[in-house]
Amino acid sequence: MDKLSLLKTFCVVANEGSFTKAAEKLDTSNQLVSKYVAELEKQLDTRLFNRTTRKIHLTEAGQQCLQHANHILESVTDMESQLGLLNTEAKGVLYVSAPVTFSTLHLAGALSAFQQAHPNVSINLQLNDRKIDVIDEGFDVAIRAGHLANSTLVAKKITTVKLALCASPAYLKKYGTPLHPNDLRPEHYLEYSYVNYDNDKSALFSALKTNAQKVAPKLISNNGEVLANVAKQGEGYVLQPTFIVGEAIKNGELVAILNDFIPQAISLYAVYPHRKLISNKLRVFIDFLSGYFGDTPHWDE
């Protein structure tokens, strides 16, 4: 017999608490329901129900079997739905939240290419560097960089994000090139408002945190591009992802310093609510971004 049919019948009997009610729900005979349950018990070599003249009760083995059976049947349903989505055209409005500077510098081109490939998907893009509440604020997906801790959300990696501590050649000529994080001048720090020093225990992050607590940074901003532009003018040093400062480092406007102390690369994620199934428009959007940027994005090549 088809084992999935046996499991489905067993689950209905367990949920209905009756062979007769299960037969009615399945639109089949009481005898066939009993036969299916008996066959499942035979295959598993265990009793799943204790039967009386009036009621049936799950045995301990039956309770465990019910948990496994529900999981198996849900997985099969999800598989069928997901495979069905592969043949369904992506369409509808996709509500996206993304960081400001990453979007203006790099996401715009990706969105243009995505909509050429999927013309029936409209995108409502909202830019914000704070960590928005994806569910409460009604977004389908948020683009985030860094360490993620919220277990109620699903995170799919889009690409790798490297960090760089840098200053202008003029600044380094005037104040010297630091050889250790403790050599950094606290009063020249250009600090990003949303940086979380507790996410990394490196010597560099420890020094930056201590310095920021000891002396007010020269400039604090919630926009990394502004901080990088101020650093280009020789006003201080800045820690930013290479998708912001990479081009300036390549053309000599900024110089990367303390490279041996830079924390490991972080990731850029697509974060969305934890659901059994994601819409086809969201699935193709995440897949497209992952392919577009790759594990080594173009700004690090």
Side-chain angles (χ1 to χ4, degrees), residues 81-289:
S81 299
Q82 288 285 17
L83 292 177
L85 282 174
L86 294 176
N87 296 320
T88 303
E89 184 181 13
K91 59 184 178 180
V93 181
L94 196 63
Y95 292 86
V96 181
S97 172
V100 177
T101 302
F102 175 77
S103 299
T104 56
L105 294 179
H106 305 289
L107 188 59
L111 294 182
S112 176
F114 171 77
Q115 292 193 299
Q116 289 180 32
H118 302 280
N120 291 324
V121 178
S122 299
I123 294 177
N124 187 318
L125 176 66
Q126 301 295 319
L127 304 185
N128 203 315
D129 284 336
R130 68 177 175 85
K131 288 188 177 180
I132 57 96
D133 190 310
V134 179
I135 298 174
D136 286 350
E137 298 185 44
F139 288 98
D140 293 301
V141 62
I143 308 302
R144 290 180 181 170
H147 303 274
L148 305 175
N150 191 339
S151 60
T152 64
L153 300 174
V154 180
K156 295 292 181 70
K157 181 180 176 181
I158 293 175
T159 190
T160 300
V161 175
K162 293 181 179 180
L163 298 175
L165 184 72
C166 45
S168 71
Y171 175 88
L172 298 176
K173 182 178 180 180
K174 183 175 182 179
Y175 296 103
T177 301
L179 301 178
H180 189 277
N182 292 337
D183 298 334
L184 293 169
R185 295 171 178 260
E187 67 275 15
H188 295 167
Y189 181 32
L190 307 174
E191 185 181 48
Y192 180 58
S193 302
Y194 297 124
V195 66
N196 187 342
Y197 298 109
D198 297 328
N199 280 336
D200 195 285
K201 305 302 180 183
S202 65
L204 176 60
F205 267 55
S206 297
L208 292 175
K209 180 179 181 180
T210 300
N211 288 349
Q213 292 172 340
K214 187 189 308 180
V215 178
K218 188 178 186 71
L219 173 65
I220 301 175
S221 175
N222 64 353
N223 186 274
E225 194 172 16
V226 168
L227 294 171
N229 287 334
V230 172
K232 292 176 188 178
Q233 307 306 313
E235 295 299 320
Y237 56 90
V238 65
L239 178 69
Q240 284 295 307
T242 54
F243 65 72
I244 293 178
V245 297
E247 190 64 29
I249 293 174
K250 289 178 183 178
N251 63 31
E253 291 181 284
L254 291 174
V255 177
I257 58 176
L258 298 178
N259 291 330
D260 292 340
F261 297 92
I262 298 299
Q264 289 186 342
I266 56 179
S267 295
L268 188 73
Y269 295 97
V271 181
Y272 57 92
H274 182 64
R275 298 176 181 136
K276 291 179 182 177
L277 295 173
I278 64 173
S279 64
N280 198 31
K281 61 186 178 182
L282 179 55
R283 180 183 61 80
V284 298
F285 180 71
I286 295 173
D287 289 346
F288 184 89
L289 290 186

